[in-house]
Amino acid sequence: MPQNIPDIYDAIDQAVERYCLKTPAKPDIIAVSKYQGQDKILPLLKQGHRLFGENYVQEAAHKWPELKKAYPDIKLHLVGPLQSNKAKEAAMLFDVIETLDRLSLAQKLSQLPNCPECYIQINIGEEEQKSGIIITEADAFFDYCKTLNIRVTGVMGIPPEKSDPSPYFMLLSEIAKRWNVPHISMGMSADFQLAACLGATHVRIGTALFGKRQA
Ligand SMILES: *Cc1c(COP(=O)(O)O)cnc(C)c1O
């Protein structure tokens, strides 16, 4: 049951009406198009959607430069882990890197002349297999990024699977408030309504928009 952008906004509105005490800001929808071809991406572009997310630098390098020529106001977010040796290429492709999560990557990015805006990814579920800076080191990491003059404008997180994501979304919102950064990227196809209720400014939607991924 792939949906389109207005359907996603309708689902958010319904959840907000039902469950939220006060109306949160309406989040922007990042259409996460990893493993999706132009046949899936072009219809969204033709409907006027411009905000997309990709997980892999290599895949984005194949797909987006041409599309950006046709639609220059496309905004692209990197939502997958970034290897330091791909930082330079990522900085050329992406408008926002959402996955800044370690010192070595911060150092690498800060040396680039065109380092894009970054969100710090936080390992909100404290899971060993997940990327993201660990919670107890996050404040110091944020301060360090500021000393490197990286423009940190938001936070990003992925709650653990198979548990209620609410406390994790609340934690991420709290950190954004503490740091006074405007953007909170949280919520995917399975839980974007809840994320919107708990303060997401960006939800990252893949399968609910595009259907199942190819790979
Ligand atoms: C793939 C991916 C998404 C989209 O996931 P869906 O469940 O398909 O909506 C969102 N965020 C990140 C970080 C992803 O890797």
Side-chain angles (χ1 to χ4, degrees):
M1 32 96 243
Q3 298 171 305
N4 55 33
I5 298 284
D7 290 338
I8 303 279
Y9 275 124
D10 280 348
I12 289 173
D13 285 342
Q14 282 170 26
V16 164
E17 201 166 299
R18 262 198 207 160
Y19 303 115
C20 293
L21 289 176
K22 59 175 193 209
T23 309
K26 194 167 269 213
D28 290 331
I29 295 170
I30 301 172
V32 178
S33 48
K34 58 168 174 262
Y35 300 134
Q36 306 289 359
Q38 294 220 357
D39 56 319
K40 294 283 182 68
I41 294 170
L42 278 171
L44 277 191
L45 284 168
K46 285 182 181 141
Q47 287 163 30
H49 192 73
R50 293 292 181 268
L51 180 57
F52 291 84
E54 287 283 347
N55 282 62
Y56 309 101
V57 174
Q58 225 50 46
E59 184 183 347
H62 281 121
K63 278 155 75 173
W64 288 96
E66 206 167 312
L67 290 167
K68 274 193 165 181
K69 261 185 226 154
Y71 299 89
D73 51 343
I74 284 172
K75 295 284 180 234
L76 209 54
H77 285 214
L78 178 66
V79 302
L82 178 56
Q83 291 170 266
S84 295
N85 64 6
K86 300 239 172 77
K88 192 172 165 191
E89 199 177 2
M92 291 191 295
L93 279 165
F94 291 96
D95 298 284
V96 176
I97 290 173
E98 294 201 9
T99 50
L100 174 55
D101 65 351
R102 59 190 190 279
L103 296 172
S104 56
L105 180 59
Q107 283 161 353
K108 194 85 185 209
L109 284 168
S110 72
Q111 287 160 7
L112 301 172
N114 59 340
C115 176
E117 204 180 310
C118 293
Y119 301 171
I120 290 180
Q121 181 178 359
I122 301 169
N123 190 344
I124 44 178
E126 306 192 286
E127 296 172 284
E128 219 159 275
Q129 77 282 13
K130 281 244 175 84
S131 32
I133 188 88
I134 61 174
I135 296 166
T136 50
E137 289 177 4
D139 286 345
F141 183 56
F142 175 60
D143 289 339
Y144 179 72
C145 290
K146 279 195 292 191
T147 68
L148 293 177
N149 289 320
I150 296 177
R151 281 174 299 147
V152 177
T153 59
V155 293
M156 183 273 224
I158 307 168
E161 279 172 50
K162 297 184 186 128
S163 61
D164 176 5
S166 310
Y168 304 100
F169 288 157
M170 286 193 270
L171 173 66
L172 198 60
S173 287
E174 254 167 48
I175 294 171
K177 203 178 284 173
R178 188 162 76 230
W179 293 354
N180 197 24
V181 292
H183 302 303
I184 305 172
S185 173
M186 62 186 188
M188 319 199 330
S189 291
D191 53 18
F192 65 89
Q193 292 106 316
L194 185 59
C197 288
L198 294 173
T201 64
H202 294 77
V203 292
R204 306 180 307 269
I205 313 283
T207 35
L209 272 175
F210 295 112
K212 262 188 109 168
R213 285 181 273 277
Q214 316 283 313

